[in-house]
Amino acid sequence: HVTTRVAVVGANGRVGSALVRHLTESHDVTAIVRQPGESPVDIAVRAADGVDVVVNAAGVAHLEQPTPADRERLRVGNIDLPLALAAAALAAHAHLIHISSVKATPDATTEYGQSKYEANQRLESEFGDRFADSGLSLVIVRPLALLFPTLDAGKVARLRFLRHWPSVLTPPVRLPVLTSTAFEAVVTEALDTIAERGFRYRDFERTELGTLADVRRAFISSPMRGGGRS
């Protein structure tokens, strides 16, 4: 059995750190964290060096009222970096799995969603055929909001009332979230099918069936730490 060498970019983030823990169980994982002064191209070249697959879990999370500086961060983190990673992966003959967002749509109303959508479109138009011609795979995963039980997702304060809400009064509802297990399974699936060369999306077109009690366990019972939504 040949171990796949995988670089996870954004390894110190909420999504990236979860993926590093998960993928290390069956792959040779290199954790890539931005160093001071590094440009997107610098990060990309370092990430693609000597690996079979680059997984991009980096990015700038949703910002309610972005400032001009925030908009620059959104551009660099959500557009420039994925494109640089695609170019570097192609040059190094490595596959690329890009973690995007379900909010990356043509009618996105937030600058976060717009930045994610532009990156997806440019990855497809500028690199899709080139990956296919090189016998490589470029996969975009578009998850819903992610619930990782050991972390919160930014809106904990609004949900604190659930601490006192009786579990018997939390019937099953459709929650626009993914558990870490469901998300990690899809990334594993993408890794297992990288031999299918070319460009493709792996979208989540549904929501998890859960209860308010599930939200309470995931958001409330965990350590109170800040974070954005994927």
Side-chain angles (χ1 to χ4, degrees):
H1 176 69
V2 178
T3 302
T4 303
R5 298 165 299 174
V6 181
V8 176
V9 181
N12 58 335
R14 186 165 62 92
V15 176
S17 58
L19 283 179
V20 168
R21 289 193 298 272
H22 171 69
L23 295 175
T24 298
E25 296 176 5
S26 53
H27 301 286
D28 180 5
V29 176
T30 300
I32 303 295
V33 176
R34 180 180 180 273
Q35 301 301 316
E38 275 193 316
S39 69
V41 172
D42 295 333
I43 298 169
V45 170
R46 184 159 60 89
D49 183 32
V51 300
D52 304 302
V53 185
V54 177
V55 178
N56 180 33
V60 178
H62 173 69
L63 302 164
E64 293 292 342
Q65 296 181 314
T67 65
D70 291 331
R71 292 188 182 96
E72 176 66 9
R73 289 175 54 228
L74 284 166
R75 182 187 64 79
V76 172
N78 293 351
I79 300 174
D80 293 354
L81 178 59
L83 295 176
L85 287 169
L90 194 61
H93 203 75
H95 306 275
L96 175 64
I97 299 174
H98 171 58
I99 310 301
S100 181
S101 169
V102 74
K103 293 187 177 181
T105 62
D107 56 352
T109 58
T110 66
E111 294 182 63
Y112 166 79
Q114 293 163 5
S115 67
K116 288 287 191 177
Y117 178 72
E118 180 178 338
N120 292 357
Q121 291 299 103
R122 292 184 62 183
L123 284 171
E124 181 174 5
S125 64
E126 297 176 25
F127 292 97
D129 290 342
R130 294 166 64 188
F131 270 75
D133 292 343
S134 298
L136 297 169
S137 180
L138 196 170
V139 184
I140 293 179
V141 178
R142 300 200 316 158
L144 302 161
L146 301 176
L147 283 181
F148 293 122
T150 57
L151 301 169
D152 70 63
K155 294 189 176 180
V156 169
R158 302 179 190 178
L159 299 172
R160 284 179 180 166
F161 75 93
L162 290 175
R163 290 183 184 276
H164 311 292
W165 196 271
S167 295
V168 293
L169 298 180
T170 58
V173 293
R174 287 288 178 181
L175 301 171
V177 299
L178 281 172
T179 61
S180 59
T181 301
F183 173 67
E184 290 161 358
V186 170
V187 176
T188 298
E189 175 191 303
L191 271 167
D192 289 343
T193 59
I194 55 175
E196 299 176 12
R197 70 181 189 179
F199 176 90
R200 65 187 185 280
Y201 284 98
R202 178 60 175 91
D203 282 356
F204 288 90
E205 299 291 351
R206 61 178 179 80
T207 57
E208 295 285 291
L209 180 63
T211 68
L212 292 179
D214 296 329
V215 176
R216 177 171 57 202
R217 282 193 294 272
F219 279 112
I220 308 302
S221 300
S222 59
M224 305 294 285
R225 294 165 61 178
R229 294 175 65 185
S230 169

